[in-house]
Amino acid sequence: MEVTVAVAATVGSPFAPHDGADRHDLVDSGSVRVTGYPVGGGWVGETLTEEGGPAAVVLLMAEPALPDQSVRARAVALVHALVDGQPRTEVLCVPAHDPNFAALTDAGALRAWHADEAALSAVLHRLDPAHRWRVADCEDAAAAEAFLAEARHCYERLTGCLE
């Protein structure tokens, strides 16, 4: 399932393959990798979640996106987080046809990209520093796609824009 992500902000991340095959240099600051692919924060339009807004997205990209840029993407994982103690769901996506992310197909592959719960929490905090983030769990791509489909269906029911 492909979606269009409206990017609101972009930050740096430690996310990249562990084997260095992508030519990103490994630079460590203590135990934290400080170079990797950029991550955008944004949403999928024409969706409505239980949280009352559009489906929130974390988008791993090869190049940073400017705010208000749209990117065709595919879901890789469903991220369950606590933001200031309140539950929040984010969909982790990658550009739909970018060969850099061909092997990144589900939540299980995230660890090989240095994208464990602690690293995801840190990146989400960089995108939204006014709040405390703690990633509790990641589900697979099928769960992310089901979440997006339900959010689309909720939007269509609310607006009467049924396809």
Side-chain angles (χ1 to χ4, degrees):
M1 163 193 282
E2 286 187 23
V3 296
T4 299
V5 175
V7 176
T10 303
V11 297
S13 86
F15 306 152
H18 65 78
D19 63 3
D22 62 350
R23 297 185 310 267
H24 274 76
D25 292 331
L26 292 176
V27 178
D28 291 322
S29 172
S31 62
V32 179
R33 182 176 171 171
V34 295
T35 62
Y37 287 100
V39 173
W43 64 90
V44 176
E46 298 183 351
T47 59
L48 181 63
T49 67
E50 291 179 3
E51 296 159 353
V57 172
V58 178
L59 177 66
L60 184 58
M61 307 173 278
E63 297 291 332
L66 296 172
D68 298 325
Q69 185 175 359
S70 294
V71 177
R72 290 296 293 167
R74 65 179 171 81
V76 173
L78 189 62
V79 178
H80 299 284
L82 293 174
V83 182
D84 298 331
Q86 299 299 311
R88 174 125 177 221
T89 304
E90 301 259 342
V91 180
L92 179 63
C93 292
V94 295
H97 302 287
D98 189 329
N100 290 306
F101 306 105
L104 192 53
T105 57
D106 62 29
L110 290 175
R111 294 201 187 283
W113 278 68
H114 305 279
D116 60 14
E117 288 83 358
L120 280 166
S121 296
V123 168
L124 287 165
H125 177 72
R126 291 189 69 203
L127 284 165
D128 184 11
H131 301 283
R132 289 176 309 158
W133 287 81
R134 185 176 70 78
V135 172
D137 184 30
C138 291
E139 291 185 74
D140 63 11
E145 289 178 0
F147 176 82
L148 288 168
E150 177 60 26
R152 173 71 179 178
H153 186 68
C154 287
Y155 175 85
E156 290 171 343
R157 282 193 318 254
L158 179 69
T159 63
C161 296
L162 299 173
E163 292 181 352

